Amino acid sequence: MAVPKKKTSKSKRNQRHAVWKAKAATAAQRALSIGKSVLSGRAQGFVYPVAEADEAES
């Protein structure tokens, strides 16, 4: 089993954590933006089958 040879410094650990949090923040911002565009009816970057979903429920 692989074991690290030396202890990771706090700065390296914090840097990794900051990168992870930044990725999550970017994904959240993108999801919010897409959600707003879907609700406003201006969505163009993807296919959102609204009519097909309504017909399938009936």
Side-chain angles (χ1 to χ4, degrees), residues 34-51:
I34 289 173
K36 284 181 179 179
S37 68
V38 166
L39 290 176
S40 68
R42 298 181 52 163
Q44 297 179 4
F46 58 97
V47 177
Y48 188 71
V50 176

Side-chain angles (χ1 to χ4, degrees), residues 11-25:
S11 63
K12 202 55 134 165
R13 180 197 63 198
N14 292 342
Q15 182 181 10
R16 242 190 342 265
H17 185 72
V19 167
W20 185 78
K21 294 284 263 187
K23 283 184 182 178

